[in-house]
Structures are given as C-alpha cells and as structure tokens.
Amino acid sequence: MIEKMIREARSQRASDIHISEGQAVYLRIDGKLIKSDLELSDEMTRKLILSLLTKESQESIWRGEDADFALETSDGNRQRVNVFCQQGRLAAAIRLLNAKVPTLSQLHLPQVLQNLANEPRGLILVTGPTGSGKSTTLAAMVDYINHTHADHILTIEDPIEYVYEQDQAVIHQREVGKDVCSFAGALRSALREDPDVILVGEMRDYETIQAVITLAETGHLVFSTLHTIGAPKTIDRIIDVFPPHKQAQIRAQLASVLQAVVTQQLLPLASGKGRAAALEIMIANDAIKNLIRENKGHQIDTMIQTGRNEGMTTLNASLATLVNTGKVNRMVAERYSLDVGELRQLIR
C-alpha cells in the first residue's frame, strides 16, 4: 500500500506526502500542498503508519516521542519518514528523496560550490528553511569529493538520506539511533576514525556545534546545516548557543574555521512546473572573518554585496536574476526577499 502511494506521488513530482488519521492525504508539489485523490479510512491510515514502524519505534511513539527513519522501497528509492502524534492520533510526513545523488551541474548550482568542495579544511554551512534542498545540495558537494578526491568521508546523519556509491573516496555513513547513540557521541569518536571530510546532518545543540567547530579546527573539512536564513543570522545562532562568557572565544574560533555560509530557498517556477534555487553565498574572506571576531555581523551583508569577484552573491541578487531571466514571477520573488525595496531596484 505504502509503495503504491509513494510511486503515485513520485509520478506527480511530489516532494512530500502527509498522512494523518482523520484527514485526507496531502502531497507537496512544487512547494504547494495539494489534496490527494486517495481516500483512506481512519483504520487504514492507522494500520498504514504502524506498518512503517518497528516495535521499538511504536513504543517510543506511545511514550510521546517522534520516530525518524529512512524507508527504502523495492525500486531502490529512499524516503525520509517522521511519524508523530497529534491530538492523540497518528500522523506521518514522508520526504521523497532522489534515488541517485544529483550533481552540482544537474542542480544548476554555481561553480563556487565546487570550489568550496575542493577546500582542504574548514567549516561549510548550508542553511535555509525546511524543504529548501539543503540535504541535496550538501550531498552533491560530498559526492563531487567522492568522485575527485582520494579522501575518507564520514557522514553522521539522522536518518541517512542519500547513500553514496564509493568512487575515489572511502565513505562511511553512520546513522544516529542505529550505528551510534547521538550526534555528539559520533563526533567525539570521529577523530579516531581518520576522516578527511565529515558531514554532520544538522547542528542541533550546544554539544554538536562545539564538536563541529573543534573538528574543523583540527584540520578537517566539515559540512553541516542550520535552519537559518542569511549568513549574519547563521553566525548569531551559533554564537547565541554558547553562554555569554564563552562567546568571545567562539567568535574567534568560528572566524578561524568558517569557509562559507550558503543560504538556499526554493521558489516555484513561473511555468508552474518545478522549482528554482535562490542562493545567498558568503565566502569567509579576511574582512568577513574580522567582522565575526569583532561582533559586527550587521556589516556582513555589505561585504557580500562587494564580494562578487570572489563568488559571493546576496539573496536579492539571486532572486532578481531569477525574475529578470523569466524563471520566477516577481510577486513570488518578493515573498522570499528579506528586503523587498532593494529587490525592486535590482529587477529590471
């Protein structure tokens, strides 16, 4: 039943499926939630969701915890599933992933992301709201390294989303809850596993953020994600996790290891089919590192605007390009802009 539902959703180019007891099934297509034709009774919905869970996961659900896991269908496609309770009823959100890791060129991402993937060390963050394609962009960057560098790549994910086919690199993928108890635990043991490149699925808490910065300091190339929009807010979020007496030290550490912050948002295309990525790219040059150390994050946006030659771009510049090339409607772009007045000046 679930395989049939997933196949049907994929045929309609859906990115997500929402299943809830007492409600219709909804698909997210090109960013919009659309009611599915599929009708399920409450009993069928409950059985369907429970069929996805192991006995241990069912027990955790009844204790009031969520269940996060990956689901692979018989056609080899993978899905990321979150099962939760709401108003005493079961619900599931299913993210449909690509069977193969797309390349940076297939995603129409700029050359500067490939340049960043060639860096020998440091911290690269891909940020944005839920469903903005962060995991896919990171996977494309990691897979580029896989095909071009004889490195040891270690990923720590919850759950594992993309499974890589080893090429030039040696790849080990650890799933939190299955292969290791926690992000922090996996990061503590990472240094003993001789990695060159480390992908951390998400910087969720103080312990994880601290460990990620330490790994980047010790000469590794570290990739991770945050649910923030824009480089200044990303830096503030990291610093604010730490107690006040540690913040000056963390600013100095972050300034020394940060390579780039890439913020991504997905906008529906003007054609009505598909979505395009709008990016803000901040490369941490000496001037920006200095601003981070001196707590002058509000000046970073100006530095991004003047850093075009280094591959930097503001979100508004990216949005304006999408509008000026006819890919995205002006009104849609304005909804995603953090400064609509500036965006209107950039649009021809």
Side-chain angles (χ1 to χ4, degrees):
M1 177 69 174
I2 189 66
E3 290 221 3
K4 184 181 176 185
M5 183 187 291
I6 289 169
R7 275 198 305 272
E8 180 60 30
R10 284 187 179 276
S11 73
Q12 296 182 52
R13 298 178 303 100
S15 62
D16 301 82
I17 306 171
H18 290 271
I19 311 167
S20 312
E21 280 188 86
Q23 296 182 29
V25 175
Y26 281 84
L27 305 179
R28 189 177 292 279
I29 300 173
D30 297 333
K32 293 180 181 177
L33 278 177
I34 296 168
K35 189 176 176 180
S36 166
D37 296 333
L38 187 64
E39 291 187 10
L40 298 175
S41 66
D42 281 9
E43 186 183 355
M44 287 170 69
T45 302
R46 191 178 186 83
K47 280 183 178 176
L48 179 65
I49 294 173
L50 288 174
S51 73
L52 302 175
L53 300 169
T54 61
K55 188 181 176 184
E56 291 79 10
S57 294
Q58 287 186 30
E59 288 170 359
S60 69
I61 290 290
W62 304 135
R63 286 197 303 268
E65 300 170 9
D66 294 356
D68 264 316
F69 54 94
L71 171 71
E72 186 167 325
T73 44
S74 58
D75 56 8
N77 283 314
R78 290 175 67 81
Q79 287 71 218
R80 188 180 75 205
V81 184
N82 178 271
V83 177
F84 57 99
C85 280
Q86 60 91 31
Q87 299 184 36
R89 293 179 165 193
L90 286 173
I94 303 172
R95 168 67 49 82
L96 309 181
L97 304 169
N98 295 314
K100 285 193 171 184
V101 182
T103 64
L104 291 167
S105 59
Q106 285 170 342
L107 295 172
H108 306 291
L109 293 170
Q111 172 70 32
V112 66
L113 267 64
Q114 184 174 305
N115 300 344
L116 288 170
N118 284 321
E119 290 289 346
R121 65 189 66 84
L123 176 61
I124 296 169
L125 299 174
V126 177
T127 76
T130 301
S132 59
K134 298 185 296 294
S135 298
T136 304
T137 296
L138 272 181
M141 293 177 80
V142 169
D143 205 40
Y144 167 78
I145 296 170
N146 174 35
H147 294 305
T148 55
H149 295 67
D151 284 341
H152 177 202
I153 300 171
L154 179 67
T155 79
I156 304 159
E157 303 169 77
D158 181 20
I160 290 169
E161 297 190 16
Y162 289 97
V163 176
Y164 302 91
E165 290 183 20
Q166 291 192 16
D167 185 12
Q168 290 199 35
V170 173
I171 305 176
H172 290 110
Q173 295 184 255
R174 306 191 75 190
E175 185 165 319
V176 175
K178 282 187 179 178
D179 303 312
V180 66
C181 291
S182 65
F183 276 110
L187 288 164
R188 275 195 299 272
S189 60
L191 285 174
R192 297 192 293 273
E193 289 152 11
D194 185 36
D196 300 292
V197 178
I198 304 165
L199 166 65
V200 182
E202 190 181 337
M203 289 167 65
R204 291 184 177 176
D205 51 36
Y206 171 83
E207 254 190 314
T208 305
I209 291 171
Q210 192 170 42
V212 162
I213 291 172
T214 301
L215 285 168
E217 275 188 314
T218 51
H220 301 85
L221 182 61
V222 185
F223 294 91
S224 194
T225 70
L226 277 167
H227 291 280
T228 48
I229 298 175
K233 285 184 181 174
T234 300
I235 291 159
D236 287 346
R237 170 74 63 84
I238 292 169
I239 302 299
D240 289 347
V241 164
F242 292 84
H245 68 278
K246 282 192 172 182
Q247 289 185 358
Q249 178 195 341
I250 289 301
R251 281 188 186 283
Q253 285 179 280
L254 186 61
S256 70
V257 300
L258 190 64
Q259 290 282 7
V261 177
V262 179
T263 296
Q264 185 166 308
Q265 301 212 60
L266 290 179
L267 286 71
L269 292 173
S271 64
K273 288 189 176 182
R275 289 187 288 176
L279 302 175
E280 177 194 273
I281 300 172
M282 183 208 81
I283 308 296
N285 58 20
D286 290 342
I288 285 175
K289 286 175 183 285
N290 205 40
L291 293 178
I292 295 170
R293 278 190 209 96
E294 295 179 4
N295 194 13
K296 294 179 179 176
H298 58 281
Q299 294 180 22
I300 288 175
D301 284 337
T302 306
M303 297 301 299
I304 295 172
Q305 287 173 357
T306 57
R308 191 179 237 170
N309 291 340
E310 297 176 65
M312 295 198 227
T313 184
T314 65
L315 184 62
N316 267 348
S318 184
L319 289 169
T321 299
L322 290 173
V323 174
N324 290 334
T325 54
K327 290 181 179 177
V328 168
N329 289 328
R330 179 177 178 149
M331 286 178 66
V332 170
E334 288 181 0
R335 280 209 309 273
Y336 287 82
S337 174
L338 302 176
D339 185 343
V340 175
E342 183 194 66
L343 175 63
R344 286 173 179 164
Q345 290 177 351
L346 293 171
I347 293 172
R348 285 199 295 271

